[in-house]
Amino acid sequence: QVQLVESGGGLVQPGGSLRLSCAATGSGYRLGNMAWYRQAPGKERELVARITSGGSTNYADSSVRGRFTISRDNAKNTVYLQMNNPKPEDTAVYYCNADIAESGVWRFREIWGQGTLVTVSS
């Protein structure tokens, strides 16, 4: 069974930095695109950044582009979100997302991590 295991969340001061990690565990699967989403209290879940299996990246909006960087290590089946100069409005639960396909299955399905809380505060 494939699962996404997240780590790295916590409290960070404005202007600091934080790195989130998400590792896909299990066997017998192919790993496709991966992404980070976030959900702030009272708001809808929104895309932060996405990265393809080949390493192409996309950032959802200008508020995070230039401050956050998504990357992946295919050898470790892991995606990262480097958060530099976080702001209080970045406070949210951050969720890892991935497309996976089990052995013998052509079509990918979407799975989610459990979420990790990032709090930006002095």
Side-chain angles (χ1 to χ4, degrees), residues 12-73:
V12 61
Q13 293 184 339
S17 65
L18 198 67
R19 190 181 75 162
L20 306 182
S21 299
C22 173
T25 65
S27 62
Y29 67 94
R30 292 178 293 129
L31 185 63
N33 300 338
M34 304 185 78
W36 287 98
Y37 288 74
R38 68 185 180 186
Q39 187 168 21
K43 300 188 67 176
E44 297 292 327
R45 186 175 300 185
E46 64 177 0
L47 175 70
V48 178
R50 180 182 288 114
I51 185 167
T52 70
S53 59
S56 298
T57 60
N58 175 263
Y59 296 89
D61 58 56
S62 60
S63 70
V64 302
R65 190 169 187 172
R67 298 188 298 115
F68 294 0
T69 302
I70 189 170
S71 62
R72 67 190 293 165
D73 185 339

Side-chain angles (χ1 to χ4, degrees), residues 4 29-35 50 72 97-101 108-111:
L4 298 178
Y29 67 94
R30 292 178 293 129
L31 185 63
N33 300 338
M34 304 185 78
R50 180 182 288 114
R72 67 190 293 165
N97 171 275
D99 296 329
I100 64 100
F108 284 83
R109 64 182 179 91
E110 191 175 74
I111 60 173

